[in-house]
Amino acid sequence: MANRPKVGVVLGSGLGAFADTLADRLETPYAEIQGWPQSTAAGHAGKLAAGRIGETEVIVLSGRSHLYEGYSAAQVTFGIRELARRGVNSLVLTNAAGGIDLKFNPGDLVLISDHINLLGVNPLTGPNDETLGPRFPDMSDAYSREYREIAKDAAAELGITLREGVYAAVPGPSYETPAEIRYLRTIGADLVGMSTVPETIVANHMGMKVLAISCVTNMAAGILPKKLTHAEVLETGERVKETLAKLLHAVVTRLPAQ
Ligand code: HPA
């Protein structure tokens, strides 16, 4: 018999509004979860919130760790392993990203159709745990086509414009140079960011289906005659987080049984 979907949602920088919409919400600070990698750098404390949207059980991770903070690829994906231990079989990732495709505008929501891993690391490096997944997992539908169609339908019904593009993951924390952005465009990237790819790899390894949505918080370096700032990233996130929350709400309730 098909399992009911149990959906994990990871909220990126400044995109936290959705967590507040969970019914019967039970929150746990990451620090209270056994084995959760402890932050060495000063930074945002994250939390896990379990609850429901309609009939669907949802676990939201508000706040993620990044490689640029000094965490290993295994550490930045601990949360996804934890979601799997809690029965999550469907994953929705969100992030802030720079727009490389000139058709994008700050504030656009973009479905990730595929990725290019330029992080220089892979979270599956090392001995493989065969109980979790295969040594050489397939990544040809890493961002489930089925889920993307569901998201497009939900967005259309809500009147939300949802674009689609390829996400390149870079280590950061410095933003890219204009030359690096021209290079990324040449190799087929439409978006650039510093997260999401390790989580997607680990989730696919464990057989989860993945949907990922980027918020274009800024145009990538060299496109506009201005400097990139983290403040702009946060401001744009703030501006669209309600729209993103509405879209996530609709998508989560439509994900089919597995
Ligand atoms: N580059 C990399 N990561 C980002 C950007 C960017 O322009 N914007 C938000 N995250």
Side-chain angles (χ1 to χ4, degrees):
M1 204 179 78
N3 288 320
R4 294 181 75 86
K6 184 159 180 177
V7 183
V9 179
V10 179
L11 299 175
S13 313
L15 303 174
F18 173 73
D20 303 333
T21 69
L22 287 185
D24 304 330
R25 188 164 80 242
L26 189 71
E27 293 186 351
T28 313
Y30 292 158
E32 290 175 15
I33 296 170
Q34 174 77 30
W36 202 286
Q38 292 301 298
S39 176
T40 47
H44 37 253
K47 61 174 191 257
L48 177 152
R52 278 184 306 101
I53 303 275
E55 302 274 281
T56 308
E57 279 188 83
V58 181
I59 302 180
V60 180
L61 301 183
S62 299
R64 57 153 66 87
S65 49
H66 302 83
L67 294 170
Y68 61 72
E69 294 170 84
Y71 292 104
S72 68
Q75 286 175 316
V76 301
T77 51
F78 181 88
I80 307 304
R81 300 283 190 208
E82 181 66 23
L83 290 176
R85 283 190 283 274
R86 293 173 185 241
V88 163
N89 50 24
S90 304
L91 185 64
V92 181
L93 301 169
T94 65
N95 64 38
I100 296 176
D101 184 327
L102 300 174
K103 294 194 292 297
F104 293 167
N105 289 298
D108 281 353
L109 296 177
V110 184
L111 275 179
I112 298 179
S113 58
D114 204 346
H115 74 223
I116 302 174
N117 182 9
L118 298 173
L119 295 170
V121 291
N122 187 300
L124 303 180
T125 298
N128 184 52
D129 184 342
E130 291 288 332
T131 65
L132 296 179
R135 170 75 293 186
F136 301 109
D138 174 60
M139 293 290 290
S140 51
D141 193 34
Y143 301 88
S144 164
R145 184 172 293 278
E146 180 191 3
Y147 279 15
R148 278 184 278 143
E149 292 306 321
I150 291 168
K152 286 180 204 170
D153 288 347
E157 278 179 34
L158 291 167
I160 295 170
T161 305
L162 186 58
R163 304 181 186 282
E164 198 160 11
V166 173
Y167 177 93
V170 295
S174 50
Y175 289 117
E176 302 68 43
T177 62
E180 286 167 342
I181 294 303
R182 290 194 298 276
Y183 159 76
L184 292 175
R185 183 180 295 122
T186 303
I187 65 171
D190 304 305
L191 299 156
V192 59
M194 305 173 190
S195 68
T196 303
V197 163
E199 291 146 305
T200 297
I201 292 171
V202 160
N204 274 272
H205 177 243
M206 295 188 290
M208 287 183 189
K209 285 194 180 164
V210 176
L211 181 78
I213 303 172
S214 285
C215 167
V216 176
T217 51
N218 57 281
M219 293 313 290
I223 295 178
L224 300 175
K226 63 176 192 173
K227 294 194 180 212
L228 272 56
T229 65
H230 187 53
E232 182 186 7
V233 170
L234 294 180
E235 276 164 29
T236 312
E238 192 62 34
R239 183 154 65 78
V240 300
K241 69 180 187 187
E242 299 296 341
T243 307
L244 178 64
K246 233 166 62 177
L247 178 61
L248 289 174
H249 202 279
V251 168
V252 156
T253 55
R254 290 167 187 232
L255 297 181
Q258 304 258 11

